[in-house]
């Protein structure tokens, strides 16, 4: 097999992995016979077979000689329990990715966050390059990552592998000078991002309260992002003192340098739905403390940003589903 690991779109899933390994524990198989057996096991296996065989060979779990395929290590060394493959195999995957100069672009200080209080590592899927989506899907399908219940488009490192990740993967990432990362940096990134976001939201809340002094329903101008993370906006407010119903829904984005930000799927859905009543307040972190500074306010961002050629939009990833 001369293909590179990133050439394969599908590496299968844990059930397919288990089926293939269970067959091979009894001895050698011809590659074509094994493919037929796997294809009979599940319809999707015909699509993922080549990718799964490639990554298992790449990890030296199997070997192929004269079109015969066999296990390259004792069956007992592969499984941690019925649900998980052993951490040293997962580590071997990341080590191979590091050697091939892939890991540091796939995972880095931009998309990794460490929550010290509950020993969690979270990966921001918005910041994973689309060309590495096959690796991300492999980690999900093999239960190394799982979707976070609260943070939109984010994944947790499974608790089974957190210690391995901290002890083994972080040092691999630290070894690359170009995109160096450490646990302390991950903590700092998380803390800095959260603090910047909170400060910007607090600034906008005070800005709105000042703007709407004397409003009959002044107390309803409030920050809701802490109470409802699924709302798709941070602050509820009024367009002016004549409004009795809440009619201004504000998403706060902070930046440094030139205005730029990421939109989550939920935020995009809300700005499409709310139209003229949805606002993005862009807060310059470098100017926020200046007297009389006002944020850049964008009303109806679908029209003013999404459909406006002055704003550069870059697709970081696609969600694709077979109907």
């Amino acid at each position: 097999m001369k293909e590179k690991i990133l050439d394969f779109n599908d590496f299968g899933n844990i059930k397919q992995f288990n089926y293939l390994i269970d067959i091979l524990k009894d001895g050698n198989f011809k590659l074509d016979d094994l493919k037929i057996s796997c294809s009979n096991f599940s319809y999707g296996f015909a699509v993922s077979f080549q990718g799964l065989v490639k990554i298992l060979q790449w990890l030296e779990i199997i070997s192929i000689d004269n079109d015969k395929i066999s296990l390259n290590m004792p069956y007992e060394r592969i499984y941690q329990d019925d649900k998980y493959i052993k951490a040293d195999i997962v580590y071997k995957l990341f080590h191979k990715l590091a050697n091939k100069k892939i890991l540091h672009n796939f995972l880095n200080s931009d998309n990794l966050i460490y929550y010290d209080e509950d020993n969690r590592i979270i990966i921001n899927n918005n910041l994973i390059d689309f060309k590495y989506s096959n690796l991300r899907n492999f980690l999900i399908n093999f239960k190394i990552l799982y979707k976070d219940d609260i943070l939109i488009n984010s994944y947790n490192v499974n608790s089974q592998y957190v210690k391995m990740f901290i002890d083994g993967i972080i040092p691999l990432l630290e070894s690359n000078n170009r995109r160096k990362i450490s646990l302390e940096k991950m903590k700092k990134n998380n803390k800095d991002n959260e603090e910047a976001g909170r400060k910007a939201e607090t600034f906008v809340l005070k800005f709105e309260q000042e703007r709407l002094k004397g409003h009959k329903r002044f107390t309803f101008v409030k920050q809701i992002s802490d109470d409802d993370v699924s709302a798709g906006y941070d602050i509820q407010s009024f367009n002016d003192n004549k409004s009795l119903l809440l009619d201004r829904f504000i998403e706060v984005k902070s930046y440094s340098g030139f205005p730029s930000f990421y939109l989550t799927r939920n935020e995009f859905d809300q700005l499409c739905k709310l139209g003229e009543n949805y606002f993005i307040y862009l807060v310059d972190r470098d100017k926020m403390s200046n007297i009389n500074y006002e944020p850049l306010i964008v009303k109806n961002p679908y029209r003013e940003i999404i459909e406006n050629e002055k704003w550069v939009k870059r697709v970081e990833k696609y969600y694709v589903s077979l109907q």
Side-chain angles (χ1 to χ4, degrees):
M1 294 183 180
K2 294 182 180 180
E3 301 94 334
K4 296 179 180 179
I5 200 69
L6 291 180
D7 293 338
F8 294 86
N9 293 323
D10 192 342
F11 296 114
N13 56 50
I14 191 66
K15 289 183 179 179
Q16 295 170 350
F17 171 88
N18 291 341
Y19 181 79
L20 190 149
I21 298 299
D22 283 343
I23 290 177
L24 291 176
K25 73 179 180 181
D26 295 326
N28 298 340
F29 268 79
K30 285 186 177 181
L31 193 58
D32 288 343
D33 291 342
L34 185 63
K35 184 175 183 179
I36 291 171
S37 178
C38 290
S39 298
N40 290 335
F41 172 70
S42 69
Y43 175 77
F45 217 153
V47 176
S48 61
F49 178 82
Q50 190 177 5
L52 180 56
V53 167
K54 174 63 179 180
I55 202 164
L56 294 184
Q57 185 184 20
W58 200 58
L59 295 174
E60 301 172 1
I61 295 174
I62 63 172
S63 59
I64 300 175
D65 185 27
N66 292 326
D67 207 34
K68 285 189 176 181
I69 185 169
S70 59
L71 277 182
N72 215 27
M73 61 172 61
Y75 180 80
E76 297 76 21
R77 285 184 55 198
I78 297 173
Y79 291 103
Q80 183 167 312
D81 55 40
D82 292 338
K83 294 181 180 179
Y84 307 107
I85 58 178
K86 283 193 172 178
D88 58 348
I89 292 178
V90 178
Y91 170 75
K92 183 181 285 190
L93 166 68
F94 285 107
H95 197 272
K96 294 279 283 190
L97 293 173
N99 286 341
K100 297 294 181 181
K101 309 300 182 186
I102 297 172
L103 180 61
H104 309 88
N105 293 319
F106 173 41
L107 298 178
N108 49 69
S109 58
D110 294 333
N111 56 33
L112 284 175
I113 299 173
Y114 180 63
Y115 287 86
D116 193 28
E117 62 273 10
D118 50 5
N119 197 35
R120 276 197 308 153
I121 298 173
I122 291 183
I123 298 173
N124 185 342
N125 191 44
N126 289 313
L127 301 179
I128 292 179
D129 194 304
F130 180 68
K131 67 181 177 182
Y132 302 115
S133 58
N134 58 346
L135 295 176
R136 177 207 60 207
N137 293 341
F138 174 84
L139 298 179
I140 295 168
N141 291 335
F142 280 70
K143 302 183 184 298
I144 298 162
L145 300 181
Y146 65 93
K147 194 170 184 179
D148 192 89
D149 293 331
I150 298 176
L151 297 176
I152 297 171
N153 209 16
S154 296
Y155 293 91
N156 289 273
V157 174
N158 196 304
S159 60
Q160 296 277 347
Y161 302 108
V162 167
K163 185 177 187 305
M164 176 274 301
F165 206 98
I166 292 174
D167 294 343
I169 308 309
I170 298 304
L172 285 177
L173 292 167
E174 286 178 324
S175 67
N176 184 278
N177 292 326
R178 187 168 62 85
R179 306 192 78 174
K180 195 170 184 179
I181 185 172
S182 66
L183 272 180
E184 290 306 314
K185 188 170 183 179
M186 288 167 63
K187 293 177 188 178
K188 186 176 186 302
N189 285 345
N190 174 47
K191 184 177 180 180
D192 289 348
N193 290 339
E194 287 186 349
E195 187 174 347
R198 282 195 298 268
K199 285 182 177 178
E201 288 180 23
T202 300
F203 171 83
V204 170
L205 179 61
K206 290 180 179 178
F207 178 86
E208 285 296 285
Q209 290 172 336
E210 183 67 25
R211 187 177 67 84
L212 293 166
K213 272 184 177 178
H215 195 286
K216 292 181 179 179
R217 304 184 70 206
F218 178 81
T219 57
F220 285 84
V221 179
K222 62 182 180 178
Q223 181 180 341
I224 67 164
S225 53
D226 289 337
D227 299 324
D228 186 2
V229 295
S230 64
Y233 51 87
D234 300 311
I235 294 171
Q236 62 182 27
S237 186
F238 301 95
N239 277 326
D240 52 45
N241 284 336
K242 296 178 181 178
S243 300
L244 288 178
L245 298 177
L246 293 165
D247 55 4
R248 180 175 291 217
F249 304 96
I250 301 167
E251 175 62 29
V252 180
K253 300 292 185 182
S254 70
Y255 68 93
S256 178
F258 60 92
S260 60
F261 58 92
Y262 287 93
L263 277 175
T264 67
R265 173 60 187 269
N266 195 34
E267 290 162 2
F268 181 80
D269 288 345
Q270 287 299 319
L271 70 85
C272 291
K273 177 181 176 181
L274 294 171
E276 295 290 315
N277 296 116
Y278 194 98
F279 291 74
I280 291 180
Y281 281 42
L282 292 164
V283 180
D284 189 336
R285 295 191 292 271
D286 302 324
K287 299 179 181 179
M288 192 165 52
S289 59
N290 295 351
I291 298 175
N292 298 326
Y293 168 72
E294 294 188 1
L296 175 60
I297 299 175
V298 182
K299 179 181 180 180
N300 193 344
Y302 186 85
R303 181 187 64 218
E304 299 298 329
I305 294 178
I306 304 302
E307 293 186 326
N308 192 329
E309 294 182 358
K310 291 193 303 182
W311 291 83
V312 177
K313 277 76 67 176
R314 184 175 71 242
V315 177
E316 296 277 343
K317 58 188 176 58
Y318 291 94
Y319 171 75
V320 181
S321 176
L322 179 63
Q323 300 299 318

